[in-house]
């Protein structure tokens, strides 16, 4: 099971993202700082407030988890940025994700694939 670290300041968003990750077959783990972050993380979803502050924030997480995929999510990104590999490279992340995003957008950014039974139960909730 893929372990995804969620770095999101809004509790409601954190809870929704964790639920979506579990529906996608991953385990969502939360941490507010690098020092409080657990071991064994495969990917990190980081809320980025602005591109200007992104580099320092992302650098600290990259140092803590050098082998993890990093997805930067922000309301400052545009939907077209999601497919923009140049922006991801410039920020030093695996992918960028524009907020608001859907469960499908999240799963695609993290390469998650849900089973048909998971999809059926997710539609009912």
């Amino acid at each position: 099971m893929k372990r995804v670290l969620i770095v999101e300041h809004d509790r409601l968003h954190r809870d929704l993202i964790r639920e979506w990750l579990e529906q996608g077959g991953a385990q969502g783990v939360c941490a507010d700082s690098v020092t409080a972050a657990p071991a064994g993380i495969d990917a990190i979803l980081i809320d980025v407030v602005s591109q200007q502050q992104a580099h320092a924030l992302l650098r600290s997480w990259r140092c803590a988890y050098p082998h993890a995929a990093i997805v930067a999510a922000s309301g400052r990104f545009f939907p077209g940025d999601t497919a923009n590999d140049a922006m991801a490279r410039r920020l030093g992340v695996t992918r960028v994700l524009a907020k608001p995003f859907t469960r499908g957008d999240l799963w695609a950014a993290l390469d998650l694939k849900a089973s048909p039974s998971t999809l059926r139960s997710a539609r009912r909730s």
Side-chain angles (χ1 to χ4, degrees):
M1 174 180 285
K2 186 180 275 192
R3 292 187 77 208
V4 180
L5 181 63
I6 305 165
V7 182
E8 166 64 58
H9 68 277
D10 184 275
R11 185 183 58 80
L12 291 175
H13 285 145
R14 248 189 339 259
D15 292 346
L16 179 61
I17 291 166
R18 184 183 300 130
E19 181 179 318
W20 284 354
L21 289 172
E22 289 172 3
Q23 291 170 355
Q27 178 186 15
V29 180
C30 298
D32 294 326
S33 69
V34 172
T35 57
I41 296 298
D42 302 301
I44 308 168
L45 176 68
I46 302 175
D47 177 38
V48 176
V49 177
S50 71
Q51 288 186 40
Q52 291 76 18
Q53 79 160 167
H55 292 285
L57 173 69
L58 294 168
R59 189 177 310 114
S60 65
W61 289 102
R62 172 58 66 210
C63 288
Y65 296 100
H67 302 293
I70 297 180
V71 176
S74 178
R76 304 276 183 186
F77 297 149
F78 296 102
D81 294 338
T82 302
N84 187 342
D85 290 336
M87 178 178 279
R89 277 193 306 276
R90 192 169 58 249
L91 291 172
V93 298
T94 309
R95 297 218 173 102
V96 295
L97 188 57
K99 284 182 168 183
F101 52 83
T102 66
R103 177 179 53 200
D105 295 336
L106 177 66
W107 289 357
L110 292 166
D111 293 324
L112 299 179
K113 293 165 184 61
S115 68
S117 62
T118 302
L119 289 172
R120 281 192 297 276
S121 66
R123 285 188 196 119
R124 286 192 292 259
S125 51

